[in-house]
Amino acid sequence: MSSVTVEIVYRGIFQKNLAQRIARGIVLAARKEGKVGISFGRYGDSPERNGIPAKQFAIVAEDDLELQISMARYEPTEVDISIAVDDTLCKGVESWAWYGTQPINKLLHAGGLLLVTSIHATETLLQWIHRRPYEYDIAIVKGPASFSGLWVYREDHTEVRVLGTLARVAPQLFGLHAMEQAILQEWNDNLKVVSAKKAYERATARRVMPEEGNPAPVEEYEKPKYWEMQEGIVVKAIPVGKGFRGGEGGFQPERNPYFKKFTTRTMRPVVDFDTCVKCTLCWLQCPDSCFDITPEHLYDANMEACCGCGVCEAVCPVEHCITMVNETAFPDNASQYEGWKQDPQAYQAWLQEKITQEKPVAQRAHGFRYRGQYAEQIAAMQKEEDA
Ligand code: SF4
Ligand code: SF4
């Protein structure tokens, strides 16, 4: 080993504390084995905002010289391990300056390791994770994405489960004993050690072949040419808008083509056009002007613009007319209205499936509600394994 570079991709603000804890835990555990290391953050967006993908890095090296060589780069352009602490990030991430949605494994080199926190199976995740022209490994830390680090950290042990998994599938970073010592030093909590060891025992990695993964091309972008740039700072106004899909009826606002917000989203609204009473509240209250008004005055949430805040669900006066559903339930950003228009019955069946079967998946871990809850969880998992 010369040095090992780890990136932790997380949802800005919601998972900031979690990502910092993982990065710090990695360095502490490596230090217990006499290695050196450093962890540092970098905004995916500045200032960091809700849901926008952001990154923490941890670099571990055999000695100071190796570490300094790695640190001399402002930001790693290649990593040995990528950790995604929310599986919706597997669909791709948008950086602070729009240059197209980028694959979650973009910086991962051949033979590297992608570790994802998810309740889904590897095969499901590979439907979203972009294809790479080489082999790499993937490991899953079973569990919902943890949003328990918002403002005040509420325990759900996700950080130590990630550390436990790393000890098993990336032993070049640190081993089990060092990890245990680091956890006790940092958190002085035996229950966390139990969680980490459990994750260690359960961890497996499997090889991803070049022909596996999402074959969709990565979004292209074009940088402005120098001769196209104007003197001074020019902020162009967005035109008012036009009819629905450019036609006569309805209304579709113009949107900034360089600021698509869908990678911010962990959930999306699903609209029941059959029960909509056309009250306009979703359209009025959406903070991102996401709704396109159809010629018959229905409201179609534009999935390239929606950041998944949930305001429309909250204001809609009709029960179950708008339902927020986990982003992992959808393969693309297709228009729901167009699906409904094509075949209302098939759309209704699709909608019911999404809001009844996929809705429970929307739950995210927000920390333990009472002391001993995680111990119960461990016992339940053990029972399940023994059965
Ligand atoms: S969730 Fe609803 S209110 Fe929020 S951005 Fe999306 S469409 Fe607009
Ligand atoms: S808030 Fe609900 S009922 Fe009102 S227009 Fe929007 S979808 Fe229809």
Side-chain angles (χ1 to χ4, degrees):
M1 171 185 122
S2 48
S3 67
V4 182
T5 303
V6 184
E7 66 167 358
I8 300 139
V9 192
Y10 66 96
R11 296 248 170 237
I13 307 285
F14 302 132
Q15 298 184 306
K16 183 176 184 163
N17 286 329
L18 172 68
Q20 280 174 346
R21 283 174 159 234
I22 294 170
R24 188 175 155 80
I26 289 171
V27 173
L28 272 177
R31 281 181 176 265
K32 296 290 177 198
E33 288 187 351
K35 295 164 190 156
V36 290
I38 187 168
S39 66
F40 55 97
R42 174 191 173 279
Y43 287 151
D45 183 44
S46 185
E48 194 167 334
R49 293 181 303 153
N50 290 355
I52 298 276
K55 289 185 182 188
Q56 279 276 326
F57 292 96
I59 301 176
V60 168
E62 290 289 1
D63 54 46
D64 284 337
L65 185 63
E66 285 292 348
L67 185 63
Q68 281 170 21
I69 292 169
S70 297
M71 281 167 53
R73 298 188 296 257
Y74 164 65
E75 181 186 316
T77 50
E78 190 178 81
V79 298
D80 303 286
I81 301 171
S82 283
I83 301 174
V85 283
D86 180 347
D87 55 7
T88 56
L89 293 163
C90 291
K91 291 186 162 193
V93 297
E94 177 198 6
S95 181
W96 61 273
W98 170 255
Y99 51 90
T101 306
Q102 300 297 304
I104 188 66
N105 50 7
K106 184 183 177 203
L107 300 189
L108 198 64
H109 62 60
L113 170 74
L114 174 63
L115 190 150
V116 185
T117 303
S118 181
I119 60 168
H120 293 292
T122 306
E123 282 61 36
T124 308
L125 297 182
L126 284 171
Q127 291 173 22
W128 311 314
I129 298 168
H130 287 81
R131 211 168 262 194
R132 298 266 86 186
Y134 45 75
E135 297 177 16
Y136 63 93
D137 290 328
I138 187 167
I140 295 177
V141 177
K142 276 280 172 203
S146 169
F147 277 20
S148 70
L150 183 63
W151 314 130
V152 176
Y153 198 85
R154 301 189 64 199
E155 289 295 357
D156 69 2
H157 289 196
T158 298
E159 81 283 62
V160 293
R161 281 190 259 172
V162 170
L163 295 178
T165 307
L166 284 173
R168 180 70 174 270
V169 298
Q172 69 273 33
L173 279 173
F174 49 79
L176 187 61
H177 184 60
M179 178 204 70
E180 187 175 337
Q181 284 181 304
I183 291 173
L184 287 175
Q185 183 195 319
E186 183 70 354
W187 294 293
N188 192 24
D189 184 344
N190 276 315
L191 201 53
K192 275 185 180 284
V193 174
V194 174
S195 298
K197 282 185 167 170
K198 199 84 203 158
Y200 177 91
E201 286 160 20
R202 295 168 74 100
T204 51
R206 90 120 155 112
R207 189 123 281 220
V208 178
M209 307 309 283
E211 63 274 13
E212 290 186 287
N214 179 0
V218 174
E219 252 179 276
E220 294 293 330
Y221 64 95
E222 205 175 327
K223 288 180 183 163
K225 313 285 181 305
Y226 77 89
W227 61 86
E228 292 169 349
M229 294 185 186
Q230 292 166 282
E231 283 178 29
I233 295 174
V234 179
V235 180
K236 286 190 182 165
I238 301 282
V240 174
K242 47 189 178 303
F244 186 72
R245 305 289 184 260
E248 289 290 309
F251 178 72
Q252 193 166 323
E254 286 288 345
R255 299 188 175 95
N256 184 339
Y258 304 110
F259 187 43
K260 300 180 184 182
K261 286 158 279 178
F262 62 87
T263 60
T264 306
R265 205 165 56 215
T266 54
M267 300 175 80
R268 72 166 67 175
V270 173
V271 182
D272 187 344
F273 299 103
D274 291 319
T275 58
C276 171
V277 294
K278 307 181 180 178
C279 71
T280 76
L281 280 176
C282 55
W283 176 68
L284 282 171
Q285 298 294 328
C286 173
D288 288 285
S289 306
C290 292
F291 285 93
D292 296 336
I293 307 175
T294 73
E296 60 269 69
H297 285 247
L298 288 166
Y299 295 85
D300 187 28
N302 186 297
M303 286 300 130
E304 287 215 323
C306 169
C307 66
C309 70
V311 165
C312 52
E313 181 193 49
V315 298
C316 180
V318 182
E319 200 179 3
H320 304 313
C321 179
I322 298 183
T323 311
M324 297 300 290
V325 176
N326 194 293
E327 185 58 26
T328 57
F330 307 93
D332 54 34
N333 287 328
S335 158
Q336 293 173 15
Y337 167 77
E338 276 159 25
W340 175 77
K341 195 78 183 155
Q342 236 173 25
D343 187 340
Q345 271 189 337
Y347 181 80
Q348 197 52 238
W350 174 87
L351 177 136
Q352 290 308 325
E353 182 208 314
K354 292 295 172 206
I355 65 177
T356 53
Q357 285 177 27
E358 308 285 359
K359 177 77 173 170
V361 178
Q363 288 168 3
R364 292 186 136 65
H366 289 100
F368 300 147
R369 291 192 308 281
Y370 53 88
R371 196 168 174 179
Q373 191 180 356
Y374 196 70
E376 283 175 17
Q377 225 174 66
I378 292 172
M381 276 157 55
Q382 186 63 53
K383 214 168 150 187
E384 202 180 293
E385 264 178 20
D386 295 344

